[in-house]
Every structure is written in C-alpha cells, then in structure tokens.
Amino acid sequence: MSDESQMLPRLIAHGYEVHMLVPEDDEVMEPMPGMFVHTFSNVLRVPSWLPAPIQRLWLLPAFWTVGASAAVRLARRIQPRLVLGFSHYGAWPAWRAARATGAASILKLFGVMHAMRLEWPLPRYLYHSLEGVLAFKVPLDHFILLNDGTRGNEVAQRWGVGPERITWLPNGIDLQWAHEPLQGAERRRLHGVGSDDVVVLSLSRLV
C-alpha cells in the first residue's frame, strides 16, 4: 500500500525496528535497513473458481488461525512494543501477538466498504460486512481508520468501539509531483483540448 511505503521508512528514521509478517507470495517483499520481513503459509490462495460465499467461509477463519499462530511465535521471539495489524484480516493476529507479549495492539483499516450501509436490514448487512464487524469486536487497544468516504468512524462506534480508541485520518496524496513544471499548452495540444476549453481534473479511484 502506498501509505505503508511512506510510513515504514519514517518509523525506521525515528529509531524503530520494523518487522513485517506477511503471507508467502511469488513477489518477495524487499527488506530495507531497519526492516525485516517474515512470512507464513499463504492460506489466501483459494481456487478462483469457487463461489465467493464459499471462499469467504474459508478465508477469514483460516487467516486468523494461521496468521495468529505465526504472529504469536514471532512476537515471543522479538518482544515488540507495538503490534500493528492491517485490514480486518490483521485484527485477531495482531491482538493475539500483543496479548502474548504485553505489547500494545492497533488495527489500521483502509476503509470499511459495505459496512457503511448501516441502513441495510441486519441479515443483508452481515452477509456483506461480517468480516468487518468481527474485526471491530476484537478487543484491540486502538484503531486507525482512514477517511475514504465510507464513514469508518461511525461504523466502528456502531459496533462498540469508543471514540477514545479511534484515530481518524484524512487520506493524503504524495506531493512530489507538485513542483514539476506544467506545460499547460502542450498538454492541451496532446489531448486535443482547445485553449479556451474548461478542463476539470479529478484525482480519484474508480471504485
């Protein structure tokens, strides 16, 4: 994730030793000075031809079981000060590892998707959002929620997470491009836009 590529080097620069625990994958995550990469069996490799509801019955329980065991083993070896889980998949493993070593536990969520549909009837809501609800039920010390428009703070409080356990972060953008010279006339010519035409630029993801 792009925000992790920003966050991890800054943690290291502030004197933290970072250990990443990730599922095994064909694309190996590159370590850097101060960061160590550990892997565990990738239980997310489910045949794509299986119907989505069947995949969901396997994915979260399998990941929480295998990931939590790996996280506890690693935590007991390195004795972390803080365990940070990513997405609802990381909730239970992060809490288990932190509890095993007396560390603080945090979960970072990049959005809650269907869980924002609090107006839906409960059966429909849980069908689409059960994994997210279960993550909020894990007694983690704190939640970092990105404000991506899915009202994650409201959803968290709906499922029992008090505001004192929530850090609500606005999404940001990388400003490295901001100082590059903009050749407006040339860009218009390349895209067939007239000099008097109004141009609207939207920075977004089409999801």
Side-chain angles (χ1 to χ4, degrees):
M1 300 291 288
S2 58
D3 50 337
E4 270 49 79
S5 69
Q6 300 287 333
M7 180 186 73
L8 296 176
R10 284 166 172 75
L11 285 172
I12 295 168
H14 280 78
Y16 290 95
E17 183 178 280
V18 176
H19 291 258
M20 293 287 291
L21 178 63
V22 296
E24 294 172 346
D25 193 72
D26 295 333
E27 296 183 14
V28 179
M29 189 175 184
E30 291 293 333
M32 63 181 73
M35 186 182 82
F36 305 87
V37 179
H38 312 267
T39 61
F40 62 96
S41 179
N42 191 349
V43 296
L44 299 177
R45 288 175 174 156
V46 179
S48 59
W49 52 263
L50 284 173
I54 302 298
Q55 293 187 39
R56 288 179 65 195
L57 287 174
W58 162 262
L59 287 175
L60 191 68
F63 192 93
W64 277 14
T65 301
V66 176
S69 296
V72 168
R73 288 194 301 271
L74 177 61
R76 285 175 174 163
R77 180 156 60 87
I78 66 174
Q79 294 296 311
R81 293 177 60 188
L82 170 69
V83 182
L84 174 63
F86 295 98
S87 86
H88 56 260
Y89 283 102
W92 181 256
W95 179 72
R96 284 284 312 280
R99 189 180 68 163
T101 55
S105 60
I106 297 180
L107 184 68
K108 184 175 183 181
L109 294 174
F110 306 95
V112 296
M113 300 304 287
H114 292 301
M116 69 181 285
R117 304 295 186 181
L118 297 171
E119 73 279 4
W120 281 357
L122 188 59
R124 180 186 180 190
Y125 182 90
L126 292 178
Y127 175 79
H128 288 285
S129 308
L130 180 60
E131 295 91 340
V133 172
L134 291 174
F136 286 126
K137 293 298 183 182
V138 177
L140 294 139
D141 293 316
H142 206 76
F143 291 80
I144 298 174
L145 303 174
L146 297 192
N147 179 8
D148 67 339
T150 55
R151 298 159 46 200
N153 58 337
E154 296 177 41
V155 176
Q157 292 180 61
R158 166 64 180 83
W159 297 109
V161 181
E164 72 282 356
R165 293 168 60 207
I166 298 173
T167 294
W168 185 232
L169 291 181
N171 267 341
I173 58 173
D174 192 331
L175 292 178
Q176 289 180 340
W177 56 268
H179 302 293
E180 295 182 4
L182 176 63
Q183 305 296 335
E186 178 64 14
R187 293 292 178 186
R188 284 174 175 267
R189 187 188 66 78
L190 286 173
H191 295 285
V193 179
S195 60
D196 294 328
D197 292 336
V198 176
V199 177
V200 177
L201 173 65
S202 174
L203 299 175
S204 60
R205 290 179 8 178
L206 299 178
V207 297

